Amino acid sequence: MNKDATELSRRQFLYRLGQLGAGAGASLLATQSLAVNIANQNDNHNHSDQLTKDDLPTTITANNPPVAPNSSCILPTIETRLFASSNVGSNDTRNQLALERLACAGFKIDNPKIVDRQYLRFAGTDIQRASDLQNIATGAIATPKLLMGVRGGYGAMRILPLIDWQTLGRLMTERGTILTGFSDVTAIQCALLAQGQMSSLAAPMLYSEFGKTMPNEVSCRQFVEALTNPNLSIEITSADLTSKRLPAILAKDENQSLTGTIWGGNLSVVSALAGSPYLPRIDGGIVFLEDVGEQTYRIERMLYDLYLAGVFKNQQAIVFGSITGQGEDSYDARYDVAKVVRQLHELTGLPIYNGMSFGHIAQKHSFPLGARCQISPNALGGYQLSFADYPIVEASAMNVAGLWQGS
């Protein structure tokens, strides 16, 4: 298909969606003024300096300058459904802007009204939130190509027993469905892998990234790269995102390479699943962990939870992503994340790879969980992660610039 046939001005795009009717047009709920409205709004989630399990401050840095409004969109064709397993996305304007951007980028969202649900702090009752996935398992809703998490926070653990993960995993495998998210969505991803033997994608979410006044362009591009590249690789040159006092590779043999299934996610969630049937048991696996806003002793306590539960047995390695916002220990400042990671290395005897560029940070590299991963040292003093055996989306169906487009 040529460029003239696929690219439309935003005005043409909105008109064409209207002509397609309510079903197709429902994936675009925002108007051209939304980006202006949100830019003028004092969104506490965007401008707070406090790191949380879900959101980060939206800052404009030299590495992420303001971008010009995107003047073209493509008709959305990627069959997408949202699932809201955790916190409510309380800012309606932010939700609508995210929906607009995703539609412009090529995602045909079948259930956009899901963002309007709320029960207490959650994005709906337990039954409502579980139904986002369980209705697919029962066949009440056709299996989409993409299942995108709306937001993290807390709440996903409450719905784990309400979903037939084995059937859901089978249907997703048959369709080649990609489930995306991180943070509290780790509970969903672990259950899907443990009981459904299906991979997922550690990636930004609707409210948490695409609804920001200024989404991070690198995060958006890397999200699309992970969605479309069947041979994704990520280079890590420094341990700084985990701790500046650690080497990138902490191992007896820094030149070794290893291959296994990578799994895990947010440390708080993974440790909370220890002893449950929703935590994967993978022989020869590679455990990935990240977290934000936890004191150093709490990080170590959660790692000990996993160690004492035998989770690190029969694993080949541990990969740490970003560990941010932990602060300084008031008893002794020398007790920091570097000490904790070195202690874990002594306990387990496993090689530990630090500084993976994913977690509660503004600029992250999406990657598959539950897929085959090879870790090997690189020429820069760090390491490379190479991934295989996971579903993808055709790159021609996506307009990456739509993910950060303005008005």
Side-chain angles (χ1 to χ4, degrees):
M1 188 176 293
N2 62 40
K3 182 177 180 181
D4 291 337
T6 57
E7 288 197 355
L8 305 170
S9 70
R10 289 192 65 198
R11 186 178 300 276
Q12 291 171 322
F13 177 64
L14 292 168
Y15 174 78
R16 288 285 295 278
L17 282 178
Q19 292 295 101
L20 287 171
S27 64
L28 185 69
L29 299 182
T31 67
Q32 295 187 41
S33 63
L34 276 174
V36 174
N37 290 339
I38 198 167
N40 293 331
Q41 184 170 349
N42 182 17
D43 183 348
N44 290 333
H45 293 289
N46 272 349
H47 298 291
S48 169
D49 289 331
Q50 183 178 1
L51 295 172
T52 73
K53 293 288 185 186
D54 190 30
D55 295 309
L56 286 167
T58 300
T59 56
I60 298 175
T61 68
N63 293 326
N64 186 30
V67 294
N70 184 39
S71 61
S72 63
C73 294
I74 60 174
L75 287 177
T77 59
I78 303 169
E79 297 175 4
T80 304
R81 289 191 68 85
L82 305 176
F83 67 94
S85 58
S86 308
N87 277 15
V88 63
S90 56
N91 186 306
D92 183 63
T93 305
R94 182 167 171 168
N95 281 323
Q96 303 311 318
L97 179 56
L99 290 169
E100 178 184 354
R101 284 174 169 150
L102 288 165
C104 184
F107 299 96
K108 183 182 179 183
I109 299 176
D110 294 331
N111 60 336
K113 296 298 290 182
I114 193 177
V115 301
D116 297 333
R117 290 187 331 213
Q118 181 172 0
Y119 172 71
L120 302 177
R121 64 173 290 149
F122 308 111
T125 65
D126 289 356
I127 295 297
Q128 286 176 318
R129 289 180 291 119
S131 70
D132 296 341
L133 300 172
Q134 180 61 10
N135 282 345
I136 297 171
T138 63
I141 294 172
T143 309
K145 179 60 181 175
L146 188 76
L147 279 163
M148 178 178 287
V150 172
R151 189 179 188 183
Y154 167 70
M157 293 186 69
R158 292 172 55 132
I159 68 173
L160 297 184
L162 304 177
I163 298 168
D164 179 354
W165 296 103
Q166 185 174 5
T167 301
L168 180 64
R170 176 177 59 80
L171 292 173
M172 289 177 62
T173 300
E174 292 172 356
R175 178 70 171 87
T177 300
I178 305 167
L179 183 145
T180 71
F182 78 113
S183 190
D184 195 54
V185 174
T186 293
I188 303 296
Q189 294 169 311
C190 282
L192 180 63
L193 181 59
Q195 297 193 5
Q197 288 75 56
M198 182 60 192
S199 66
S200 60
L201 194 68
M205 295 176 285
L206 180 139
Y207 186 92
S208 306
E209 182 65 43
F210 305 121
K212 289 179 180 177
T213 304
M214 184 63 65
N216 184 277
E217 184 177 335
V218 172
S219 290
C220 291
R221 289 189 181 279
Q222 293 302 319
F223 171 61
V224 172
E225 177 72 7
L227 277 178
T228 59
N229 187 350
N231 299 298
L232 179 73
S233 64
I234 299 174
E235 294 281 347
I236 304 299
T237 60
S238 166
D240 287 358
L241 288 176
T242 303
S243 171
K244 294 182 183 296
R245 297 178 60 187
L246 283 169
I249 302 173
L250 188 60
K252 294 179 180 178
D253 180 5
E254 296 180 1
N255 295 315
Q256 69 176 324
S257 295
L258 52 90
T259 301
T261 299
I262 190 166
W263 66 276
N266 181 256
L267 171 60
S268 300
V269 178
V270 172
S271 66
L273 292 175
S276 80
Y278 306 110
L279 190 71
R281 297 287 190 269
I282 298 173
D283 288 338
I286 298 167
V287 186
F288 170 79
L289 299 167
E290 59 82 21
D291 219 320
V292 63
E294 296 286 357
Q295 287 289 315
T296 302
Y297 80 93
R298 290 176 58 86
I299 293 170
E300 182 170 275
R301 183 163 62 191
M302 290 184 286
L303 291 170
Y304 260 93
D305 285 344
L306 297 175
Y307 170 71
L308 294 174
V311 172
F312 295 124
K313 289 182 179 179
N314 301 321
Q315 302 302 294
Q316 293 191 71
I318 302 168
V319 177
F320 278 105
S322 69
I323 304 291
T324 54
Q326 74 273 8
E328 187 175 281
D329 191 280
S330 59
Y331 288 91
D332 192 324
R334 294 172 298 176
Y335 179 59
D336 59 8
V337 169
K339 293 288 186 184
V340 168
V341 172
R342 290 184 182 278
Q343 172 72 358
L344 183 66
H345 177 54
E346 292 181 11
L347 278 173
T348 63
L350 295 174
I352 295 180
Y353 298 84
N354 300 296
M356 170 64 172
S357 49
F358 189 86
H360 290 74
I361 50 177
Q363 186 170 298
K364 46 185 161 283
H365 288 61
S366 301
F367 67 98
L369 290 166
R372 184 162 58 89
C373 176
Q374 181 182 58
I375 305 180
S376 53
N378 60 27
L380 303 173
Y383 58 95
Q384 175 180 276
L385 300 102
S386 301
F387 304 91
D389 301 333
Y390 53 93
I392 61 168
V393 172
E394 288 296 325
S396 60
M398 300 194 64
N399 167 36
V400 60
L403 294 173
W404 64 81
Q405 54 108 9
S407 67

